[in-house]
Amino acid sequence: MKSKTLLLVLPAVAMLASCSGGNSSSETTSLAEAYADCWYTGCSVNQWEVAADSKMADGRNYTGMVSADQTTNWEKITNTFNWVVAENCMKSEVIHPEQNRYDFTLADEFVDKAKAAGMKVMGHCLIWHSQCPWWFHHDQDGNLVSADTLKVRMKEHITTVVNHFKGRVDAWDVVNEAFEDDGSFRNSFFYQIMGEEFIPWAFKCAYDADSTIDLFYNDFSMNKATKVEAVCKFFKPLIDGGMKVSAIGMQGHIILEDGADVIINQYDHSINCIKELGVNAAFSELDLSMLPNPYGFSGANIADGDKFKYRPEMDPYKDALPDSVQTQFDDFWIGFYKMLLTHKETVNRVSFWCFNDANSWRNDFPIRGRSDYATLFDRNSHPKRTIQKLIDLRKTEK
């Protein structure tokens, strides 16, 4: 799959590693190195890990803001991963807050620091219904703009952003979260104004801005058959018709309580569905919540209406994660990686969302104020034993 995609879908960007042999070194020192012959290994980065910013210490709640200076994490990020994505600073509300004003300050800091460290950079994201400024879809009277107006605004935004980062960003999430879990289209402002045509229009604009860049579609709950099959059904005629789609990204915000074997089998099915499109699959935002799942909640909608009231019984590991539960965490990722290795010709990137447990969004979603343990590093930025177990797995699987 990877070699086919390189030739037919990604003619100008050699982003995919071959999985045809072992590492040249007998010893591996990082998770990225251990799986370098299979896929890229990534992590999201928040702005305070790039550069300290005391101006943000204003008492407000910001996703990822444990402190205004988390720059000591950076060396560990670059020593563990080889692909990074900005958690928030490249979204449209930050980069393009007003119609005629762009602000690339934070995004440039992130991209420049990542490239200086030799990292691959994922641009996240060009078109998303959430964290999108109000002006994008509305006129001065507060009414939704016409389809023609939205097309012009999308093209101008995408062209400007892609051109600004040309040569520095290796791939873009072009459209993010356009489908509901049942496979229907999300009734976003983009969809209300343009219908489903906003998706291929966004990909066309991105391709026209830079035909060499890798272009991804990204969504959550892609373990659900109804959703992944709907996404693939939608993209198949577009891809067959020549539209460039480098990979379908699956976020992977996983809750252990939903069942390890069930989830792993679901994603096995999802990868097979994507493989049939003739493009690659990517895991873009992996994390594993160890806390109770209220009311069987699923998804990653960050709207306030999806928050749940805090209750102590829903926060059982306030002080520490018991070793027996950490073992469940380890076992899940080992099982997940074993499944991934059966698809090593299709999967091109395995990326985790948030560097450590302290700054993980999972602490506040879907219930604010809990202590979750969803990442590969603990609250003090120490690597969990899971990482070494995954490195050891790769050694035994060769």
Side-chain angles (χ1 to χ4, degrees):
M1 176 59 65
K2 288 182 179 177
S3 58
K4 176 182 177 182
T5 305
L6 276 169
L7 291 172
L8 299 183
V9 182
L10 309 180
V13 182
M15 66 173 285
L16 309 181
S18 169
C19 205
S20 59
N23 293 329
S24 59
S25 172
S26 60
E27 295 295 328
T28 57
T29 59
S30 74
L31 187 62
E33 182 183 352
Y35 289 88
D37 57 347
C38 295
W39 49 67
Y40 287 106
T41 301
C43 179
S44 71
V45 176
N46 69 47
Q47 66 198 62
W48 304 281
E49 288 166 332
V50 175
D53 187 355
S54 60
K55 296 189 298 294
M56 302 301 291
D58 56 6
R60 293 179 59 188
N61 290 323
Y62 295 95
T63 301
M65 188 178 180
V66 177
S67 72
D69 187 356
Q70 301 173 45
T71 53
T72 55
N73 289 342
W74 185 256
E75 183 177 1
K76 294 178 181 179
I77 290 169
T78 58
N79 287 340
T80 306
F81 305 101
N82 52 21
W83 191 289
V84 287
V85 57
E87 187 174 358
N88 282 302
C89 71
M90 297 181 81
K91 293 170 181 173
S92 58
E93 69 174 1
V94 177
I95 280 181
H96 201 177
E98 298 174 1
Q99 185 170 359
N100 297 313
R101 182 171 69 89
Y102 288 87
D103 185 352
F104 294 106
T105 305
L106 294 175
D108 280 337
E109 287 181 353
F110 161 69
V111 172
D112 289 346
K113 191 168 184 176
K115 300 313 288 186
M119 308 283 282
K120 294 281 188 179
V121 175
M122 185 76 188
H124 179 77
C125 48
L126 293 173
I127 296 297
W128 186 30
H129 67 277
S130 187
Q131 294 182 254
C132 184
W134 179 257
W135 70 263
F136 214 114
H137 307 100
H138 296 83
D139 61 23
Q140 292 181 344
D141 296 322
N143 301 312
L144 291 178
V145 298
S146 67
D148 287 342
T149 297
L150 183 58
K151 288 182 70 174
V152 170
R153 291 181 179 183
M154 287 176 62
K155 183 175 181 62
E156 191 270 339
H157 172 79
I158 292 170
T159 302
T160 301
V161 173
V162 171
N163 281 334
H164 179 85
F165 293 105
K166 186 176 291 188
R168 296 188 293 154
V169 168
D170 299 278
W172 278 101
D173 283 327
V174 178
V175 176
N176 196 45
E177 301 176 5
F179 288 81
E180 299 284 4
D181 286 5
D182 64 3
S184 62
F185 289 100
R186 180 180 299 281
N187 192 34
S188 66
F189 287 139
F190 287 107
Y191 184 76
Q192 290 177 37
I193 297 170
M194 287 184 61
E196 63 189 60
E197 290 304 312
F198 86 88
I199 301 174
W201 177 247
F203 275 86
K204 181 183 187 307
C205 292
Y207 180 84
D208 289 347
D210 187 353
S211 62
T212 70
I213 203 75
D214 290 310
L215 307 178
F216 287 52
Y217 175 75
N218 190 53
D219 215 324
F220 61 78
S221 294
M222 292 286 277
N223 58 309
K224 297 180 182 295
T226 52
K227 187 162 191 173
V228 71
E229 290 170 8
V231 169
C232 290
K233 181 179 179 180
F234 175 77
F235 275 97
K236 181 172 174 51
L238 299 174
I239 293 170
D240 289 347
M243 188 178 84
K244 181 176 181 178
V245 179
S246 307
I248 302 295
M250 298 181 282
Q251 293 181 14
H253 297 298
I254 300 164
I255 302 175
L256 186 65
E257 189 176 273
D258 293 344
D261 291 340
V262 171
I263 294 166
I264 291 170
N265 288 334
Q266 288 174 334
Y267 276 118
D268 179 68
H269 169 74
S270 297
I271 296 171
N272 283 325
C273 288
I274 295 169
K275 182 178 181 180
E276 292 179 2
L277 294 177
V279 302
N280 288 285
F283 283 89
S284 56
E285 302 181 19
L286 286 168
D287 49 39
L288 178 61
S289 175
M290 306 305 292
L291 300 180
N293 183 9
Y295 313 113
F297 177 81
S298 66
N301 193 329
I302 64 172
D304 286 340
D306 287 329
K307 305 291 184 183
F308 293 80
K309 184 177 180 180
Y310 180 88
R311 303 195 308 276
E313 64 270 22
M314 302 302 288
D315 191 18
Y317 312 125
K318 197 66 178 175
D319 297 323
L321 193 69
D323 187 71
S324 60
V325 183
Q326 178 62 47
T327 297
Q328 295 177 49
F329 183 93
D330 300 339
D331 290 346
F332 174 84
W333 286 119
I334 290 170
F336 190 82
Y337 265 63
K338 285 182 177 179
M339 180 273 293
L340 290 181
L341 284 168
T342 69
H343 296 288
K344 58 192 178 186
E345 297 301 327
T346 301
V347 175
N348 65 11
R349 182 167 55 97
V350 177
S351 287
F352 294 84
W353 199 250
C354 300
F355 170 68
N356 66 17
D357 290 343
N359 62 29
S360 172
W361 75 303
R362 280 296 196 178
N363 296 303
D364 290 320
F365 188 85
I367 299 175
R368 288 189 179 276
R370 296 197 295 177
S371 295
D372 210 337
Y373 303 83
T375 76
L376 296 181
F377 286 77
D378 68 19
R379 277 172 163 70
N380 296 310
S381 297
H382 297 143
K384 296 180 182 178
R385 67 193 188 195
T386 316
I387 294 177
Q388 188 60 51
K389 288 179 179 290
L390 293 175
I391 292 172
D392 292 342
L393 171 66
R394 183 63 188 133
K395 293 176 181 178
T396 61
E397 290 289 319
K398 289 182 179 180

